[in-house]
Amino acid sequence: MQAGQYILKFLGDFATILGEMAPYLLLGFFFAGLLYAFIPREKIDKYFNGSPFRSSVFSSLLGIPLPLCSCGVIPTGAALYKNGASKGGTVSFLISTPQTGVDSILATFSLMGLPFAIIRPIAALITGISGGLITSVITKNESVPQQTSDTVSKPKTLGQKIKDVFRYGFVEFIQDISKWLIIGLVLAAIISALIPNDFFELLNLSPILQMLLILAVSVPLYICATGSIPLAAILILKGVSPGAAFVLLMAGPATNVATITMIGKVLGKKSLFTYLGTIIIGALGSGLIIDYLLPVQWFTEITQQHLGHDHGTHLNWWQIASGVLLLGLMINGYIQRYRTPKKQSETQLKNNIMQLKTIKVEGMTCNHCKANVENNLQKLAFVENAVVNLAEKTVTLEGDNIDLDKVKETVESIGYKAV
């Protein structure tokens, strides 16, 4: 096959995978916006304490539908722990949340079928509860941070909430996952175009060995729950066992080097080992169940139906339109994220009797990081307002007698580094 043919095949495969996923992703983004706008943070916080079983169950159940990938869930979990959540409840949340999300469940159904879409949240729930219970037992004698005073968000009108649905679901959330989604789509299209369909079958690797190899790659690297879907689907098409593909879906979003470092720093080594052990054992156990106990047709027929024939020729008009809309929203997200924010006018600065200080904060990667840093800094008595600039990795503080040492301590207590 000539280079031009490979390029055309890559573009066709990319368009097909994007078209298959786009309608369900857009629906998932809408549900993500609904969750954000109509479930206040303070209503979630109260379920992270109580008995070990209660906190583990509620934390996992709350985490499964939330559209938080690893880069967003780790600082969110760290902030919850700093504000009084138990270690067990926090670890449950950290395990279950990045594996799924309402958007990734719908996208899994669109590309890989109902069995995968059902097993993903079940595995996330079981591993989340297990990790939380184990953490509660082995850390029961460890001290818990003193809870800081809560700031209850002001009630919003229905119009403001509807605006938040679309602002979060179709701007902020897309900003956070678009890079990893594009990476997943591009890698899947490259593998589809370059690797023969029977490649992994010719290698004749046992399913267990395939799972171990994928696990070795998945643990240190990062790909979000949604971005892992096209990659896993294409690997099945190329001969990888469904169980090994599921290991990628489970371990890829939940672990990476940055996550491991932050959990160890904030929650301690015992919680970190429980977190990693639960995910690894859960991923391998789920993969073995899929490969050895369940019918293989459940996990291969849908993928072959969508991706196993001539690409780009079977998309409906609404799939094409959804794909174009999704690409447009991703481009808009990048424009909005890196657009220079409007600066205060000189008159405002002259009339402002409060201090203004700007600090550099390393480790912020997404809008959830932004919200966590702003919310925790605004709980300090001397901070009137805190505004994060994600593009420049800075925080502008407004207040009276700003204590930079206390600011630094607060920032680093939720897993970031203040410069």
Side-chain angles (χ1 to χ4, degrees), residues 121-132:
I122 291 176
L125 178 63
I126 293 173
T127 52
I129 293 173
S130 301

Side-chain angles (χ1 to χ4, degrees), residues 308-364:
H309 48 277
D310 294 334
H311 299 299
T313 61
H314 65 292
L315 294 177
N316 298 313
W317 68 267
W318 52 272
Q319 291 175 313
I320 296 172
S322 297
V324 172
L325 177 60
L326 179 58
L327 288 175
L329 288 171
M330 286 193 283
I331 293 171
N332 175 69
Y334 275 104
I335 293 173
Q336 295 296 327
R337 181 168 185 168
Y338 293 103
R339 187 176 61 181
T340 303
K342 292 181 180 179
K343 297 181 179 180
Q344 287 180 293
S345 66
E346 291 184 9
T347 303
Q348 286 177 303
L349 290 173
K350 289 178 181 177
N351 293 335
N352 192 346
I353 62 173
M354 292 187 177
Q355 264 185 302
L356 282 175
K357 288 187 179 294
T358 300
I359 62 171
K360 191 87 170 177
V361 176
E362 297 177 354
M364 299 187 297

Side-chain angles (χ1 to χ4, degrees), residues 136-403:
S136 296
V137 171
I138 66 176
T139 63
K140 62 181 179 181
N141 295 323
E142 295 182 6
S143 60
V144 178
Q146 184 177 1
Q147 186 170 2
T148 59
S149 58
D150 285 329
T151 55
V152 179
S153 56
K154 297 179 181 179
K156 293 186 176 182
T157 65
L158 180 60
Q160 290 173 321
K161 289 181 178 180
I162 292 174
K163 184 179 179 180
D164 283 347
V165 169
F166 291 94
R167 176 183 56 80
Y168 178 80
F170 295 101
V171 179
E172 293 184 4
F173 184 52
I174 288 179
Q175 288 174 348
D176 293 340
I177 76 161
S178 59
K179 179 176 77 172
W180 302 108
L181 177 58
I182 289 294
I183 289 173
L185 289 168
V186 169
L187 287 176
I190 290 173
I191 292 172
S192 178
L194 297 182
I195 296 180
N197 284 351
D198 58 352
F199 176 78
F200 288 97
E201 293 176 358
L202 293 174
L203 291 179
N204 198 29
L205 299 177
S206 67
I208 295 177
L209 186 55
Q210 293 180 34
M211 292 178 207
L212 292 174
L213 288 173
I214 288 180
L215 186 66
V217 174
S218 300
V219 169
L221 299 180
Y222 173 69
I223 185 169
C224 74
T226 303
S228 65
I229 297 166
L231 193 54
I234 289 297
L235 287 175
I236 291 176
L237 195 65
K238 300 302 179 180
V240 168
S241 75
F246 190 81
V247 170
L248 173 65
L249 291 176
M250 190 169 175
T255 60
N256 62 75
V257 173
T259 296
I260 292 169
T261 302
M262 192 175 288
I263 291 178
K265 179 180 178 181
V266 175
L267 298 179
K269 291 183 178 179
K270 290 182 179 179
S271 298
L272 173 60
F273 291 145
T274 302
Y275 173 85
L276 287 175
T278 303
I279 291 171
I280 291 171
I281 293 171
L284 292 175
S286 300
L288 291 171
I289 290 172
I290 289 172
D291 278 346
Y292 291 99
L293 297 181
L294 299 176
V296 68
Q297 294 82 3
W298 286 8
F299 305 98
T300 58
E301 287 182 350
I302 296 297
T303 300
Q304 291 172 350
Q305 176 183 338
H306 287 304
L307 303 177
H309 48 277
D310 294 334
H311 299 299
T313 61
H314 65 292
L315 294 177
N316 298 313
W317 68 267
W318 52 272
Q319 291 175 313
I320 296 172
S322 297
V324 172
L325 177 60
L326 179 58
L327 288 175
L329 288 171
M330 286 193 283
I331 293 171
N332 175 69
Y334 275 104
I335 293 173
Q336 295 296 327
R337 181 168 185 168
Y338 293 103
R339 187 176 61 181
T340 303
K342 292 181 180 179
K343 297 181 179 180
Q344 287 180 293
S345 66
E346 291 184 9
T347 303
Q348 286 177 303
L349 290 173
K350 289 178 181 177
N351 293 335
N352 192 346
I353 62 173
M354 292 187 177
Q355 264 185 302
L356 282 175
K357 288 187 179 294
T358 300
I359 62 171
K360 191 87 170 177
V361 176
E362 297 177 354
M364 299 187 297
T365 58
C366 66
N367 284 290
H368 296 288
C369 298
K370 178 180 184 293
N372 282 327
V373 171
E374 289 176 345
N375 291 338
N376 280 276
L377 288 177
Q378 284 172 180
K379 290 178 181 180
L380 298 174
F382 50 81
V383 174
E384 180 70 21
N385 193 29
V387 179
V388 167
N389 184 320
L390 266 181
E392 298 179 3
K393 309 297 182 188
T394 59
V395 184
T396 299
L397 302 169
E398 181 182 358
D400 291 321
N401 300 315
I402 295 174
D403 184 344

